Amino acid sequence: MIGATASRARRITRPDAILRGEEIGAGPTFLLLHAGGERRQVWRQVSEVLVDAGYRCVAFDQRGHGDSEGSARTLSSCAHDITAMVHAEPPATVVVGASLGGLAAIAALTDPAVRAKVAGLVLVDVVPCLEPSRVRRFLASVGPLGAHTELVEDILAQVPRLRQVTAELDLPVLLVHGDNGSSLTDEDIDQLLRLAPHTTVRPIQGAGHLIARNQPVALAQAIIAATTSWR
């Protein structure tokens, strides 16, 4: 992932899937969870900045994506994978989740053992306060859902639970959102702040929904600035 710094392959065997990923760097850990339809390489430039700042980054292809096996049909299956990833990392890991990755991370944090190992949660252009019809319109505008339709509908059915979990979180939360083509509205952000008043909100100029692609350096810098005091 980064010039002279070699990445190291990672593998987690689940009952119904093999998850493949990589890690790079040394220091406090960030677990980077990509959006639906993406793969772990989307974090490459973000990782470069984090590693140069003295951090370690771990990124897996989520089930049914990239080099990982299995099917991503339910949010719970993705969340159980996140649980396995967190348990494979040292204490005080910061979890960074974009879109699907962020929602799966929230679902995984229902487990007290997961919360005990996590220093905080970074949500990248996603909130648990999803309005189904608007979500469907947004996803239709960016491309066909194809094999992910079942997963999207399952996530939308889980919104009440995701809201409840978020309201009960006693971890620091950072929401990073785009300003151009973001999936979020001001009302979405206000709802998150009502659920979790301790959330810090950081807009990224010139970014859309996939901030790791649009503005990776700015995203990494925002993450570093907000999370330094979390550990």
Side-chain angles (χ1 to χ4, degrees), residues 18 42 54 62 78 82 115 124 126 141 148 156 162 179 191 223 226 228:
I18 294 176
V42 74
Q62 294 202 56
C78 297
I82 306 309
R115 293 198 301 274
V124 182
V126 68
S141 73
H148 301 295
L156 294 176
L162 292 171
D179 70 345
Q191 286 191 54
I223 291 171
T228 299

Side-chain angles (χ1 to χ4, degrees), residues 90-175:
T93 290
V94 170
V95 177
V96 181
S99 199
L100 169 61
L103 298 173
I106 293 172
L109 287 166
T110 60
D111 184 345
V114 174
R115 293 198 301 274
K117 291 202 67 177
V118 171
L121 174 65
V122 179
L123 297 173
V124 182
D125 212 64
V126 68
V127 296
C129 320
L130 304 174
E131 199 287 307
S133 61
R134 186 157 53 80
V135 169
R136 294 186 187 101
R137 286 197 302 272
F138 175 80
L139 293 175
S141 73
V142 298
L145 291 178
H148 301 295
T149 301
E150 187 175 350
L151 174 60
V152 169
E153 292 304 319
D154 182 74
I155 289 171
L156 294 176
Q158 301 299 320
V159 167
R161 178 59 177 153
L162 292 171
R163 291 171 58 92
Q164 179 183 348
V165 173
T166 303
E168 295 172 352
L169 281 181
D170 56 358
L171 298 170
V173 178
L174 169 66
L175 170 65

Side-chain angles (χ1 to χ4, degrees), residues 186-198:
D186 291 342
E187 176 57 25
D188 292 331
I189 296 169
D190 289 344
Q191 286 191 54
L192 174 62
L193 290 172
R194 287 194 290 270
L195 286 174
H198 55 285

Side-chain angles (χ1 to χ4, degrees), residues 42-121:
V42 74
W43 295 111
R44 180 166 292 148
Q45 289 180 276
V46 175
S47 295
E48 290 178 1
V49 179
L50 295 175
V51 170
D52 286 346
Y55 295 96
R56 171 176 170 265
C57 295
V58 179
F60 283 88
D61 288 331
Q62 294 202 56
R63 62 170 49 231
H65 293 72
D67 297 324
S68 290
E69 300 173 7
S71 298
R73 292 195 175 94
T74 66
L75 184 62
S76 63
S77 63
C78 297
H80 291 322
D81 292 343
I82 306 309
T83 295
M85 294 176 196
V86 169
H87 285 314
E89 300 308 322
T93 290
V94 170
V95 177
V96 181
S99 199
L100 169 61
L103 298 173
I106 293 172
L109 287 166
T110 60
D111 184 345
V114 174
R115 293 198 301 274
K117 291 202 67 177
V118 171
L121 174 65

Side-chain angles (χ1 to χ4, degrees), residues 123-126 175-179 182 184 186 189 201-205 207-208 211:
L123 297 173
V124 182
D125 212 64
V126 68
L175 170 65
V176 183
H177 67 91
D179 70 345
S182 169
L184 304 184
D186 291 342
I189 296 169
V201 179
R202 292 286 182 269
I204 301 292
Q205 293 185 346
I211 303 177

